[in-house]
Amino acid sequence: MGPVSGIRGGPKGSGRARVFLSTFEKPLDSKRRFVVPADYRNVEDGSQDELFVFPCLSEPCLEAGGIALKKEYEVMVAKLPFGHDSRKSLTLKVFAQSKTLAYDTAGRITLPEAMCARFGLRAEVVLVGMMDRFLIWEPEAYRPWAEKMDRMADESIAALANVEYARLTGGEA
């Protein structure tokens, strides 16, 4: 599947995107490699040469991004008190279980065997652009999550519309 949409927005003439957009289905070969879309390799977050990949904090999939994502997590963890269980657990999940993966000459990355086994990644992966990061899903696990997110988005839009209507009319939401 190709990209659904794409927005460019880096420095004028850079050809670089500001965010990870679109959803892609990519085959995973027998060596656990897949081609990272060129749009993802060109995001202005430091993902041009390598990716920071780790188990997602909130979903049964992998999370990936560039240096900017890694720094965002470093700042978040550093705000927690040294020795606190929250800091230790986030450090374990985000940093101890992460891998930095470089692209080969064809723009592919090789997922570690343990990550593939943990999330059931076998023949195909779904890459989901989430602005400052992207998620790597097993296709059958992705579908119900995407449906749930669609429903939640519809509910959120309806709630926002009610609030805006109330604001404009002076009534209650």
Side-chain angles (χ1 to χ4, degrees), residues 50-167:
E50 59 189 19
L51 289 172
F52 173 60
V53 181
F54 59 97
C56 183
L57 296 177
S58 60
E59 306 300 338
C61 64
L62 293 171
E63 191 169 323
I67 294 166
L69 178 63
K70 184 177 180 182
K71 287 182 180 177
E72 187 176 325
Y73 276 107
E74 288 171 353
V75 168
M76 180 179 67
V77 169
K79 289 179 181 177
L80 297 169
F82 185 79
H84 193 276
D85 285 344
S86 294
R87 183 174 178 150
K88 287 187 277 187
S89 64
L90 282 172
T91 301
L92 175 68
K93 188 152 190 182
V94 175
F95 295 102
Q97 296 180 36
S98 72
K99 297 290 181 190
T100 300
L101 306 175
Y103 303 108
D104 66 12
T105 56
R108 298 176 296 194
I109 61 167
T110 302
L111 292 174
E113 188 173 348
M115 286 182 173
C116 287
R118 180 173 178 179
F119 296 103
L121 305 174
R122 291 178 194 86
E124 190 174 50
V125 294
V126 178
L127 309 178
V128 182
M130 302 290 289
M131 294 181 58
D132 60 347
R133 66 202 70 214
F134 68 95
L135 304 178
I136 304 170
W137 283 88
E138 188 281 323
E140 292 303 313
Y142 168 70
R143 287 182 187 91
W145 179 81
E147 291 169 3
K148 175 183 164 188
M149 292 296 109
D150 280 346
R151 285 191 304 275
M152 289 176 68
D154 291 345
E155 292 167 6
S156 296
I157 290 167
L160 289 171
N162 287 337
V163 168
E164 182 63 11
Y165 178 79
R167 185 186 70 79

Side-chain angles (χ1 to χ4, degrees), residues 20-62:
F20 295 102
L21 294 179
S22 305
T23 299
F24 299 87
E25 292 178 3
K26 294 290 184 174
L28 193 63
D29 72 14
S30 62
K31 295 179 182 178
R32 302 175 318 282
R33 298 177 300 192
F34 67 90
V35 176
V36 176
D39 284 353
Y40 283 15
R41 295 191 310 265
N42 285 316
V43 172
E44 291 184 330
D45 75 332
S47 62
Q48 297 87 0
D49 298 316
E50 59 189 19
L51 289 172
F52 173 60
V53 181
F54 59 97
C56 183
L57 296 177
S58 60
E59 306 300 338
C61 64
L62 293 171

